[in-house]
Amino acid sequence: MGKISTEFYKPYLINFAIFSLIPIVFFHIHWLYDDEKWYYSTGAIILYVIAIFLELTELNNNELRPTAKWFVRHRYLLAGAMIALNILMIVNSIIRLVGFWENIVVTFMLAIVIMYLPIVVFFHCADEEREFSHLKSTKLSTKQWSLLFGFHTILAALYATQFLFDGSSLGKEELVLNFRMVRFICQLINILSIPMSYQAILSWNSDKLRFKGKYPNTTMEWKGLMKRNPDGTWEIDQTPEDHNIFIV
């Protein structure tokens, strides 16, 4: 199950980033600002390009190749980033009613999340020389499945409270359109981010990871298992009987 979920997860993330996140962020910023809207909406796309460029630069450095530690960590961070994106878009839609500096702070935080999302997608999908995946035996318990769907149901209910707010009080038509869009977009992102939360829990359950790539300083194919030590570090598992789990 772990292997299958990883194989489907990569194309899912790529399509989600291209066909969902970019249009959502673009229109959110496009409608949020008036005279400067083209400047800021274009700026959002530029943030994506900068983040992708930085990621490609890092991937060319062998010392920065993905590790088992970051394979797990980025799955935690991506699930959290999707929740942060939703919350920040909501706050950013109404923060102008509070004050100018509060708006600057929230916009800056949103920019950080926007830049991080393409980076984490690249870390999930781009590097084929060191590829990690979950074992087939790694699964979610019944309690964890209930927690997963229960958590996203609670988020959906909280996001639905936006419909109790009269968006017309925001004044400008662009701000009203943005707020009305965000109310629906938050629900959409909440649903589409369930696989990311699933992967985060799956990573939490993983004491061992499958890996494949090239043996250091050679062109030989290298496959095996990584195991997590009690102190949180990862190392290559040398136990023969454990490798029998890997060879299928």
Side-chain angles (χ1 to χ4, degrees):
M1 185 174 185
K3 176 65 175 177
I4 296 175
S5 65
T6 301
E7 290 178 348
F8 282 98
Y9 187 54
K10 288 184 178 181
Y12 173 81
L13 273 184
I14 294 173
N15 283 280
F16 177 77
I18 295 175
F19 298 109
S20 296
L21 281 182
I22 291 180
I24 287 171
V25 171
F26 180 88
F27 283 110
H28 171 60
I29 298 179
H30 174 71
W31 278 333
L32 195 58
Y33 298 93
D34 190 5
D35 296 333
E36 314 96 337
K37 60 186 177 182
W38 285 110
Y39 173 81
Y40 283 107
S41 55
T42 303
I45 304 300
I46 292 176
L47 286 178
Y48 263 82
V49 174
I50 292 174
I52 292 173
F53 175 78
L54 292 174
E55 176 59 20
L56 289 174
T57 302
E58 287 192 357
L59 287 175
N60 287 329
N61 187 339
N62 288 328
E63 295 181 356
L64 297 175
R65 294 290 185 183
T67 62
K69 177 181 178 180
W70 279 102
F71 172 86
V72 171
R73 182 171 294 180
H74 277 303
R75 276 157 173 74
Y76 297 157
L77 292 175
L78 179 57
M82 296 309 301
I83 297 174
L85 177 65
N86 259 350
I87 294 175
L88 288 173
M89 283 201 304
I90 295 171
V91 176
N92 203 35
S93 298
I94 60 177
I95 196 65
R96 287 191 173 192
L97 298 176
V98 178
F100 174 77
W101 287 108
E102 290 82 357
N103 184 30
I104 293 296
V105 172
V106 173
T107 302
F108 180 74
M109 294 171 64
L110 181 60
I112 293 176
V113 174
I114 291 173
M115 288 191 68
Y116 174 70
L117 287 173
I119 290 177
V120 73
V121 169
F122 261 77
F123 266 115
H124 277 67
C125 308
D127 192 6
E128 297 296 333
E129 291 192 15
R130 293 185 187 177
E131 183 179 351
F132 295 91
S133 61
H134 301 288
L135 298 181
K136 292 182 178 180
S137 58
T138 305
K139 300 178 181 179
L140 271 64
S141 65
T142 302
K143 183 178 180 180
Q144 288 175 327
W145 278 112
S146 300
L147 178 64
L148 173 64
F149 288 107
F151 176 72
H152 282 275
T153 300
I154 292 174
L155 286 180
L158 292 175
Y159 296 147
T161 59
Q162 296 176 85
F163 289 92
L164 301 176
F165 180 75
D166 185 10
S168 59
S169 61
L170 293 171
K172 294 183 179 180
E173 181 182 358
E174 290 85 355
L175 299 180
V176 175
L177 287 174
N178 170 74
F179 180 74
R180 290 175 179 173
M181 179 196 74
V182 167
R183 292 189 300 190
F184 291 99
I185 290 302
C186 285
Q187 299 289 2
L188 176 63
I189 292 180
N190 183 47
I191 295 173
L192 294 178
S193 64
I194 291 177
M196 302 166 198
S197 299
Y198 166 78
Q199 284 287 324
I201 300 175
L202 202 64
S203 297
W204 178 268
N205 292 345
S206 296
D207 291 324
K208 295 181 181 180
L209 293 173
R210 182 196 314 263
F211 76 88
K212 68 177 181 179
K214 294 181 180 179
Y215 196 82
N217 302 320
T218 70
T219 57
M220 296 175 56
E221 189 178 47
W222 191 25
K223 296 182 180 180
L225 293 177
M226 299 284 291
K227 66 178 181 180
R228 177 160 41 190
N229 296 319
D231 61 357
T233 59
W234 290 84
E235 66 179 10
I236 296 175
D237 187 3
Q238 303 290 347
T239 310
E241 56 268 24
D242 289 335
H243 283 271
N244 290 334
I245 300 175
F246 170 72
I247 302 172
V248 293

